Amino acid sequence: MKRYLIQLFALVVSLFIYFVNLSALPYIGFFHNTLKTLVQPLFEFKGNLIEFTKSMINTYVILVNVSKENQELKKELQACNLYKVQLSTCENNLLSVSRIINLPLEVKRLSIVYAGIIAYDPSGNDTFILINKGQDAGLSEGMIAFYEDKLIGIVDRVYGSSARIRTVFSKDFSISAMANSKAYIYKGGYPYGFLLHVGLEDPIKVGDVVLLRSPLGNIPSFTIGKVSRISEEDKGFFKRVEVKPAVDIRRISYCILIKEKL
């Protein structure tokens, strides 16, 4: 019973203080303001300490993630170095064989340019991108742009310090391609492109990789995409083959260009 009386008394006092607003009284107000002045820096310090702690925790989490990413990148770099050594070994062996059989062979080193993407197709169809390199970097129309092992498109306009790349999603884009070791024409489209002139007897199937085909052999066989759907056309002797481009334009911030025309 005594416990409930104490709780009731505390409630009445709280309500009295709330409605009377003692801080507005002359004498009590002075002590209230003085106490508030003394305590206010403590509250500010507490708030700053909380924000600082949150910032340090976030920084720590970011650093941990960056450290993990760096470890993964180091592993990938080591793998790339291994592949580079293997490739050099293959090149040397190929050159040795070519000398034995008197076959002229030239291993050409490609000159490349790294460029940042500064604008995307505002229509959302990813038909082109703008990059921050142009005539100042020695670019010209017809050069190939890629990301990792994926084909992005071809430079179709060059300005002083920028250039436009017509991508594999554009209906105005067409290029020589290869699937199952057979040559075709790839025609761009959004969200799917097409392989043209695929005969009914051609063994093309869903999932087949479509690669860039360089008639002169001067450009690597970058991946254009994969066959996503096959159907027979209403008339004629060809299949309708849809291709899903491999590159995701909106997820990349830079690209690489080969300073040699296809």
Side-chain angles (χ1 to χ4, degrees), residues 110-113 137-140 143-144 257-261:
L110 296 173
S111 178
I112 60 176
V113 174
L139 299 186
S140 61
M143 290 182 175
I144 290 291
L257 298 101
I258 297 178
K259 295 180 68 174
E260 188 167 339
K261 294 183 180 181

Side-chain angles (χ1 to χ4, degrees), residues 83-255:
Y83 293 145
K84 182 179 179 180
V85 174
Q86 290 176 323
L87 179 60
S88 297
T89 303
C90 290
E91 289 179 353
N92 293 331
N93 293 337
L94 187 59
L95 288 171
S96 299
V97 173
S98 67
R99 294 191 188 100
I100 294 173
I101 63 177
N102 197 24
L103 177 68
L105 178 65
E106 178 184 2
V107 180
K108 190 171 184 179
R109 303 295 179 181
L110 296 173
S111 178
I112 60 176
V113 174
Y114 290 88
I117 300 176
I118 56 178
Y120 301 89
D121 180 5
S123 71
N125 293 333
D126 297 332
T127 59
F128 70 88
I129 56 175
L130 294 179
I131 59 175
N132 61 355
K133 297 291 178 65
Q135 294 174 351
D136 56 348
L139 299 186
S140 61
E141 296 178 2
M143 290 182 175
I144 290 291
F146 66 97
Y147 177 79
E148 295 178 344
D149 62 338
K150 305 173 184 65
L151 179 67
I152 293 178
I154 296 180
V155 177
D156 69 344
R157 290 187 186 179
V158 181
Y159 312 102
S161 58
S162 62
R164 188 179 77 172
I165 298 174
R166 181 65 61 182
T167 74
V168 293
F169 290 97
S170 172
K171 293 181 179 179
D172 297 325
F173 179 90
S174 60
I175 201 167
S176 181
M178 180 173 58
N180 278 338
S181 302
K182 188 171 182 180
Y184 299 100
I185 298 296
Y186 170 82
K187 183 173 178 58
Y190 183 86
Y192 299 100
F194 302 91
L195 277 185
L196 303 182
H197 311 307
V198 180
L200 295 176
E201 70 284 354
D202 290 356
I204 292 287
K205 61 183 181 298
V206 173
D208 284 349
V209 178
V210 179
L211 302 173
L212 171 65
R213 177 177 175 272
S214 174
L216 300 178
N218 59 333
I219 304 294
S221 298
F222 295 110
T223 300
I224 298 175
K226 289 185 178 181
V227 175
S228 59
R229 184 181 178 187
I230 301 174
S231 59
E232 294 186 8
E233 297 182 352
D234 295 336
K235 296 180 181 179
F237 304 94
F238 302 105
K239 299 176 183 178
R240 176 183 173 87
V241 179
E242 295 183 359
V243 178
K244 175 65 176 177
V247 67
D248 189 344
I249 300 295
R250 297 284 171 166
R251 290 184 176 272
I252 60 176
S253 58
Y254 73 93
C255 64

